[in-house]
Amino acid sequence: MRPTNALILACLALAALAPAPARADQPTFSETAAAEAAANATYGPRTTPGQTIPVPDDVSPQLQRLIAAPFGNVADAPKTGDEWKAAVAAANRTAMVNLDRLKRELGVTVEPTVVAGVKAYLVTPMTIPEKNRNRLVVALHGGGYVFYPGEAGTGEGVMMAGFGGFRVLAVDYRMPPDFPFPAALDDAVAVWKEVVKTTKPENVALIGSSAGGGLALATILRLKDEGLPLPGALAAGTPWSDLSSAGDSYAANAWLDNVLVAYGGMLEGMARLYAGGESFRNPYLSPIYGDFSKFPPTILTTGTRDLFLSNTVRAHRALKRAGAVADLEVYEGESHAQFLAGPSVPESREAFADIAAFFDAHLGR
Amino acid sequence: MRPTNALILACLALAALAPAPARADQPTFSETAAAEAAANATYGPRTTPGQTIPVPDDVSPQLQRLIAAPFGNVADAPKTGDEWKAAVAAANRTAMVNLDRLKRELGVTVEPTVVAGVKAYLVTPMTIPEKNRNRLVVALHGGGYVFYPGEAGTGEGVMMAGFGGFRVLAVDYRMPPDFPFPAALDDAVAVWKEVVKTTKPENVALIGSSAGGGLALATILRLKDEGLPLPGALAAGTPWSDLSSAGDSYAANAWLDNVLVAYGGMLEGMARLYAGGESFRNPYLSPIYGDFSKFPPTILTTGTRDLFLSNTVRAHRALKRAGAVADLEVYEGESHAQFLAGPSVPESREAFADIAAFFDAHLGR
């Protein structure tokens, strides 16, 4: 980094700690309007000014706290397999602390198992309502196809079990750097084939968020291609439906989403590591480029600040265009996957209540 | 020691004196990431950098053209009644040119009428499918409760008639500066009372976008309060559900939405002119503060760049929380109300096809 940039960055860091500048330092609305009208006076890309965007006051105090939080990891992606593994191990330690608390709060147990040679976890709520006795949820965890191997990846499954009263089978699919695409998809399909030997497919829901949502959509594409039975319902939370940089919110919500923050760096690094040289336009990698006909009823969840807002609404529209039953839920002010916050955040309970109600309406018994 | 503004100014001065960077173009991803991480290192409002946001390539070429268009009106609001009337007259002239083309393209006729003393227009498609013979759509136009009096306000009704095959009654409700709140709401309710004398309420849909969407939601609140029958379905396009500045996308999508552009100026001016001193928290003005129980099935439509994205998703969540059937449609890259673009834009046809299908599923015959 050149000295000039270092100096500017140091100053910006100091500025972040300083009191808000005096009102006189801010341009008036009319001044900003005139400048932006001039900057956007011809057809072309949109030019937006630097902004300070308040924490919205129309969401729960618990969600306000999440929205106000500092940026998550915006580091450059690790460069070697060992660096990736170190980053994964560090993230898992934090995730396990959160998971232990979550299991206690929701009264959910998690037991390791193996299904069709694939590692997995049986996630069981304290009580299973009669209507859910013959139902099962298969969960594909998020984490950019790299993070949260092992029990650390069962958090969403634990919430589905605890909030919804479902038995959950959480799949610990293989991931890079050791096992790039299509290992994760192969594992999801192998588990599915085994599950439907003993459970009616129409009684099984498939869930996943972020990379897990993308993998869930890709799994349906693969099941269709192989002529296998499909699940009775699908919940795709802010699915990574396009690994490429296409999608308006990758740019429009950059630096606004405090979880993923921006497409470059870590996020792009995970896409490349998972794809292992395969084209991002392969529908098994970026399911938005696939055929959405004959999809099961699907509920999608995102937030207005989500870097994957476009990934989610594009998948929703693709499903509607193909004639599927598809519900879209967009939460005010939420960044990527913040609906997974857990029991302390009312909007998180609400999201899982919606998903459970959707499953109840569409799954067999 | 806490940094002071003087320290920051000194830092910035030093930075300005330092040798200019060798490369005068955009900062690298890593540089922006470091600066933004520093600016967002503590709990609080989000700080975003000035950005250049490309026209997305994952929408139709016709929609790309709309997204690329220069900013709409970001002028300060008119200051006198005469200035408002001059602005309204100018907008109407443009609207009438577009309306005449739209009527021709869709083969729809528009005839003036009077219902319960309120001016209105009968909007009739070339053919009415058998299933729609006993159905009616009542349309409340947009325009910030100030713009598009007379036939100029029938555009959305013309599209509903042409795309959906419905008879439409488009209400030319009274507006400020001469008739502020609650004149518009009084007119909508008066028309409704007359309509249900001859048409089953469950066979009637209520539609409106922007201010018309807010007015439609407020009309339902008023009908409930007066114990009147409710329509069979509702389509609220990007409804102005909150006239106050509350709602995250007022800030987050400011200068990104190329139709409304920002909350201040004209938009805030229209809110004040319509409210006429009444509190923006009055649910008849800002229906988001109302009781959404017992609402009819409702479909809401918005876009990822819409300044009213939050107005729309907040209304959707309020409906879901109250137990209503509520469908949310969010179009990739669209700014405020761009789904009303008309027959040349595929995504506009798609939006009306969705609304028509929703009505067909929920209206009586």
PDB file of all heavy atoms in Angstrom, chain B residues 16-41:
ATOM      1  N   ALA B  16      -4.000  15.535   1.932  1.00  0.00           N
ATOM      2  CA  ALA B  16      -4.084  16.335   0.715  1.00  0.00           C
ATOM      3  C   ALA B  16      -2.707  16.796   0.250  1.00  0.00           C
ATOM      4  O   ALA B  16      -2.482  16.973  -0.950  1.00  0.00           O
ATOM      5  CB  ALA B  16      -4.995  17.544   0.956  1.00  0.00           C
ATOM      6  N   LEU B  17      -1.811  17.010   1.233  1.00  0.00           N
ATOM      7  CA  LEU B  17      -0.473  17.473   0.880  1.00  0.00           C
ATOM      8  C   LEU B  17       0.425  16.345   0.370  1.00  0.00           C
ATOM      9  O   LEU B  17       1.443  16.592  -0.268  1.00  0.00           O
ATOM     10  CB  LEU B  17       0.198  18.120   2.109  1.00  0.00           C
ATOM     11  CG  LEU B  17      -0.356  19.496   2.499  1.00  0.00           C
ATOM     12  CD1 LEU B  17       0.226  19.939   3.843  1.00  0.00           C
ATOM     13  CD2 LEU B  17      -0.031  20.523   1.417  1.00  0.00           C
ATOM     14  N   ALA B  18       0.044  15.115   0.719  1.00  0.00           N
ATOM     15  CA  ALA B  18       0.883  13.978   0.329  1.00  0.00           C
ATOM     16  C   ALA B  18       0.886  13.834  -1.197  1.00  0.00           C
ATOM     17  O   ALA B  18      -0.023  14.304  -1.866  1.00  0.00           O
ATOM     18  CB  ALA B  18       0.351  12.702   0.974  1.00  0.00           C
ATOM     19  N   PRO B  19       1.915  13.170  -1.723  1.00  0.00           N
ATOM     20  CA  PRO B  19       1.984  12.993  -3.180  1.00  0.00           C
ATOM     21  C   PRO B  19       0.735  12.292  -3.698  1.00  0.00           C
ATOM     22  O   PRO B  19       0.201  11.398  -3.050  1.00  0.00           O
ATOM     23  CB  PRO B  19       3.211  12.103  -3.374  1.00  0.00           C
ATOM     24  CG  PRO B  19       3.997  12.222  -2.106  1.00  0.00           C
ATOM     25  CD  PRO B  19       3.029  12.544  -1.028  1.00  0.00           C
ATOM     26  N   ALA B  20       0.243  12.729  -4.834  1.00  0.00           N
ATOM     27  CA  ALA B  20      -0.951  12.126  -5.405  1.00  0.00           C
ATOM     28  C   ALA B  20      -0.682  10.661  -5.734  1.00  0.00           C
ATOM     29  O   ALA B  20       0.441  10.314  -6.088  1.00  0.00           O
ATOM     30  CB  ALA B  20      -1.358  12.872  -6.677  1.00  0.00           C
ATOM     31  N   PRO B  21      -1.685   9.801  -5.594  1.00  0.00           N
ATOM     32  CA  PRO B  21      -1.486   8.387  -5.948  1.00  0.00           C
ATOM     33  C   PRO B  21      -1.075   8.273  -7.416  1.00  0.00           C
ATOM     34  O   PRO B  21      -1.482   9.084  -8.248  1.00  0.00           O
ATOM     35  CB  PRO B  21      -2.862   7.754  -5.736  1.00  0.00           C
ATOM     36  CG  PRO B  21      -3.659   8.741  -4.930  1.00  0.00           C
ATOM     37  CD  PRO B  21      -3.059  10.087  -5.175  1.00  0.00           C
ATOM     38  N   ALA B  22      -0.282   7.253  -7.702  1.00  0.00           N
ATOM     39  CA  ALA B  22       0.166   7.056  -9.074  1.00  0.00           C
ATOM     40  C   ALA B  22      -1.025   6.786  -9.993  1.00  0.00           C
ATOM     41  O   ALA B  22      -1.041   7.183 -11.142  1.00  0.00           O
ATOM     42  CB  ALA B  22       1.139   5.881  -9.137  1.00  0.00           C
ATOM     43  N   ARG B  23      -2.055   6.091  -9.425  1.00  0.00           N
ATOM     44  CA  ARG B  23      -3.208   5.714 -10.244  1.00  0.00           C
ATOM     45  C   ARG B  23      -4.395   6.561  -9.787  1.00  0.00           C
ATOM     46  O   ARG B  23      -4.796   6.509  -8.628  1.00  0.00           O
ATOM     47  CB  ARG B  23      -3.505   4.233 -10.035  1.00  0.00           C
ATOM     48  CG  ARG B  23      -4.513   3.643 -10.975  1.00  0.00           C
ATOM     49  CD  ARG B  23      -4.916   2.259 -10.519  1.00  0.00           C
ATOM     50  NE  ARG B  23      -5.545   2.331  -9.198  1.00  0.00           N
ATOM     51  CZ  ARG B  23      -4.983   1.888  -8.090  1.00  0.00           C
ATOM     52  NH1 ARG B  23      -3.798   1.338  -8.130  1.00  0.00           N
ATOM     53  NH2 ARG B  23      -5.606   1.988  -6.934  1.00  0.00           N
ATOM     54  N   ALA B  24      -4.947   7.346 -10.685  1.00  0.00           N
ATOM     55  CA  ALA B  24      -5.983   8.295 -10.296  1.00  0.00           C
ATOM     56  C   ALA B  24      -7.382   7.687 -10.393  1.00  0.00           C
ATOM     57  O   ALA B  24      -8.356   8.353 -10.106  1.00  0.00           O
ATOM     58  CB  ALA B  24      -5.904   9.544 -11.173  1.00  0.00           C
ATOM     59  N   ASP B  25      -7.500   6.410 -10.815  1.00  0.00           N
ATOM     60  CA  ASP B  25      -8.861   5.844 -10.982  1.00  0.00           C
ATOM     61  C   ASP B  25      -9.365   5.265  -9.672  1.00  0.00           C
ATOM     62  O   ASP B  25      -8.911   5.635  -8.592  1.00  0.00           O
ATOM     63  CB  ASP B  25      -8.882   4.831 -12.134  1.00  0.00           C
ATOM     64  CG  ASP B  25      -7.866   3.713 -11.927  1.00  0.00           C
ATOM     65  OD1 ASP B  25      -7.170   3.711 -10.876  1.00  0.00           O
ATOM     66  OD2 ASP B  25      -7.750   2.854 -12.802  1.00  0.00           O
ATOM     67  N   GLN B  26     -10.323   4.331  -9.757  1.00  0.00           N
ATOM     68  CA  GLN B  26     -11.008   3.784  -8.590  1.00  0.00           C
ATOM     69  C   GLN B  26     -10.032   3.092  -7.628  1.00  0.00           C
ATOM     70  O   GLN B  26      -9.039   2.514  -8.063  1.00  0.00           O
ATOM     71  CB  GLN B  26     -12.039   2.748  -9.065  1.00  0.00           C
ATOM     72  CG  GLN B  26     -13.070   3.297 -10.016  1.00  0.00           C
ATOM     73  CD  GLN B  26     -14.111   4.145  -9.312  1.00  0.00           C
ATOM     74  OE1 GLN B  26     -14.515   3.839  -8.201  1.00  0.00           O
ATOM     75  NE2 GLN B  26     -14.517   5.228  -9.940  1.00  0.00           N
ATOM     76  N   PRO B  27     -10.347   3.149  -6.318  1.00  0.00           N
ATOM     77  CA  PRO B  27      -9.541   2.367  -5.366  1.00  0.00           C
ATOM     78  C   PRO B  27      -9.754   0.878  -5.607  1.00  0.00           C
ATOM     79  O   PRO B  27     -10.764   0.467  -6.167  1.00  0.00           O
ATOM     80  CB  PRO B  27     -10.108   2.787  -4.008  1.00  0.00           C
ATOM     81  CG  PRO B  27     -11.474   3.324  -4.292  1.00  0.00           C
ATOM     82  CD  PRO B  27     -11.429   3.889  -5.682  1.00  0.00           C
ATOM     83  N   THR B  28      -8.795   0.045  -5.174  1.00  0.00           N
ATOM     84  CA  THR B  28      -8.971  -1.402  -5.291  1.00  0.00           C
ATOM     85  C   THR B  28     -10.014  -1.864  -4.296  1.00  0.00           C
ATOM     86  O   THR B  28     -10.383  -1.148  -3.364  1.00  0.00           O
ATOM     87  CB  THR B  28      -7.663  -2.150  -4.982  1.00  0.00           C
ATOM     88  OG1 THR B  28      -7.365  -1.948  -3.598  1.00  0.00           O
ATOM     89  CG2 THR B  28      -6.515  -1.648  -5.844  1.00  0.00           C
ATOM     90  N   PHE B  29     -10.471  -3.106  -4.493  1.00  0.00           N
ATOM     91  CA  PHE B  29     -11.431  -3.675  -3.558  1.00  0.00           C
ATOM     92  C   PHE B  29     -10.871  -3.673  -2.146  1.00  0.00           C
ATOM     93  O   PHE B  29     -11.544  -3.292  -1.186  1.00  0.00           O
ATOM     94  CB  PHE B  29     -11.815  -5.101  -3.970  1.00  0.00           C
ATOM     95  CG  PHE B  29     -12.751  -5.749  -2.995  1.00  0.00           C
ATOM     96  CD1 PHE B  29     -14.110  -5.508  -3.061  1.00  0.00           C
ATOM     97  CD2 PHE B  29     -12.274  -6.566  -1.981  1.00  0.00           C
ATOM     98  CE1 PHE B  29     -14.980  -6.061  -2.148  1.00  0.00           C
ATOM     99  CE2 PHE B  29     -13.138  -7.129  -1.053  1.00  0.00           C
ATOM    100  CZ  PHE B  29     -14.490  -6.879  -1.140  1.00  0.00           C
ATOM    101  N   SER B  30      -9.615  -4.075  -2.007  1.00  0.00           N
ATOM    102  CA  SER B  30      -9.014  -4.145  -0.669  1.00  0.00           C
ATOM    103  C   SER B  30      -8.955  -2.773  -0.009  1.00  0.00           C
ATOM    104  O   SER B  30      -9.181  -2.643   1.196  1.00  0.00           O
ATOM    105  CB  SER B  30      -7.611  -4.744  -0.749  1.00  0.00           C
ATOM    106  OG  SER B  30      -7.666  -6.059  -1.225  1.00  0.00           O
ATOM    107  N   GLU B  31      -8.646  -1.750  -0.796  1.00  0.00           N
ATOM    108  CA  GLU B  31      -8.580  -0.394  -0.239  1.00  0.00           C
ATOM    109  C   GLU B  31      -9.949   0.073   0.231  1.00  0.00           C
ATOM    110  O   GLU B  31     -10.091   0.615   1.329  1.00  0.00           O
ATOM    111  CB  GLU B  31      -7.997   0.573  -1.284  1.00  0.00           C
ATOM    112  CG  GLU B  31      -6.502   0.368  -1.505  1.00  0.00           C
ATOM    113  CD  GLU B  31      -5.986   1.007  -2.804  1.00  0.00           C
ATOM    114  OE1 GLU B  31      -6.810   1.579  -3.563  1.00  0.00           O
ATOM    115  OE2 GLU B  31      -4.781   0.924  -3.043  1.00  0.00           O
ATOM    116  N   THR B  32     -10.965  -0.140  -0.620  1.00  0.00           N
ATOM    117  CA  THR B  32     -12.315   0.251  -0.213  1.00  0.00           C
ATOM    118  C   THR B  32     -12.750  -0.538   1.014  1.00  0.00           C
ATOM    119  O   THR B  32     -13.336   0.011   1.956  1.00  0.00           O
ATOM    120  CB  THR B  32     -13.318   0.020  -1.362  1.00  0.00           C
ATOM    121  OG1 THR B  32     -12.880   0.752  -2.505  1.00  0.00           O
ATOM    122  CG2 THR B  32     -14.715   0.490  -0.976  1.00  0.00           C
ATOM    123  N   ALA B  33     -12.456  -1.840   0.996  1.00  0.00           N
ATOM    124  CA  ALA B  33     -12.857  -2.686   2.121  1.00  0.00           C
ATOM    125  C   ALA B  33     -12.228  -2.196   3.423  1.00  0.00           C
ATOM    126  O   ALA B  33     -12.897  -2.117   4.462  1.00  0.00           O
ATOM    127  CB  ALA B  33     -12.463  -4.139   1.847  1.00  0.00           C
ATOM    128  N   ALA B  34     -10.953  -1.844   3.370  1.00  0.00           N
ATOM    129  CA  ALA B  34     -10.279  -1.378   4.585  1.00  0.00           C
ATOM    130  C   ALA B  34     -10.887  -0.067   5.068  1.00  0.00           C
ATOM    131  O   ALA B  34     -11.129   0.127   6.262  1.00  0.00           O
ATOM    132  CB  ALA B  34      -8.784  -1.220   4.320  1.00  0.00           C
ATOM    133  N   ALA B  35     -11.137   0.851   4.142  1.00  0.00           N
ATOM    134  CA  ALA B  35     -11.713   2.150   4.522  1.00  0.00           C
ATOM    135  C   ALA B  35     -13.114   1.968   5.096  1.00  0.00           C
ATOM    136  O   ALA B  35     -13.471   2.584   6.112  1.00  0.00           O
ATOM    137  CB  ALA B  35     -11.754   3.076   3.303  1.00  0.00           C
ATOM    138  N   GLU B  36     -13.923   1.119   4.460  1.00  0.00           N
ATOM    139  CA  GLU B  36     -15.294   0.922   4.929  1.00  0.00           C
ATOM    140  C   GLU B  36     -15.334   0.142   6.238  1.00  0.00           C
ATOM    141  O   GLU B  36     -16.187   0.398   7.087  1.00  0.00           O
ATOM    142  CB  GLU B  36     -16.137   0.244   3.855  1.00  0.00           C
ATOM    143  CG  GLU B  36     -16.436   1.143   2.661  1.00  0.00           C
ATOM    144  CD  GLU B  36     -17.101   2.443   3.089  1.00  0.00           C
ATOM    145  OE1 GLU B  36     -18.055   2.397   3.887  1.00  0.00           O
ATOM    146  OE2 GLU B  36     -16.637   3.509   2.639  1.00  0.00           O
ATOM    147  N   ALA B  37     -14.432  -0.812   6.386  1.00  0.00           N
ATOM    148  CA  ALA B  37     -14.378  -1.535   7.661  1.00  0.00           C
ATOM    149  C   ALA B  37     -14.050  -0.561   8.783  1.00  0.00           C
ATOM    150  O   ALA B  37     -14.631  -0.623   9.869  1.00  0.00           O
ATOM    151  CB  ALA B  37     -13.336  -2.653   7.594  1.00  0.00           C
ATOM    152  N   ALA B  38     -13.147   0.371   8.510  1.00  0.00           N
ATOM    153  CA  ALA B  38     -12.803   1.369   9.526  1.00  0.00           C
ATOM    154  C   ALA B  38     -13.988   2.289   9.814  1.00  0.00           C
ATOM    155  O   ALA B  38     -14.265   2.630  10.964  1.00  0.00           O
ATOM    156  CB  ALA B  38     -11.597   2.180   9.058  1.00  0.00           C
ATOM    157  N   ALA B  39     -14.701   2.663   8.763  1.00  0.00           N
ATOM    158  CA  ALA B  39     -15.833   3.578   8.930  1.00  0.00           C
ATOM    159  C   ALA B  39     -17.025   2.893   9.577  1.00  0.00           C
ATOM    160  O   ALA B  39     -17.953   3.557  10.030  1.00  0.00           O
ATOM    161  CB  ALA B  39     -16.233   4.160   7.571  1.00  0.00           C
ATOM    162  N   ASN B  40     -17.041   1.560   9.593  1.00  0.00           N
ATOM    163  CA  ASN B  40     -18.160   0.790  10.156  1.00  0.00           C
ATOM    164  C   ASN B  40     -17.657  -0.143  11.257  1.00  0.00           C
ATOM    165  O   ASN B  40     -18.099  -1.279  11.372  1.00  0.00           O
ATOM    166  CB  ASN B  40     -18.861  -0.001   9.053  1.00  0.00           C
ATOM    167  CG  ASN B  40     -19.616   0.893   8.083  1.00  0.00           C
ATOM    168  OD1 ASN B  40     -20.720   1.318   8.376  1.00  0.00           O
ATOM    169  ND2 ASN B  40     -18.996   1.196   6.949  1.00  0.00           N
ATOM    170  N   ALA B  41     -16.713   0.357  12.055  1.00  0.00           N
ATOM    171  CA  ALA B  41     -16.044  -0.487  13.047  1.00  0.00           C
ATOM    172  C   ALA B  41     -16.751  -0.507  14.394  1.00  0.00           C
ATOM    173  O   ALA B  41     -16.401  -1.286  15.272  1.00  0.00           O
ATOM    174  CB  ALA B  41     -14.596  -0.024  13.230  1.00  0.00           C
TER     175      ALA B  41
END
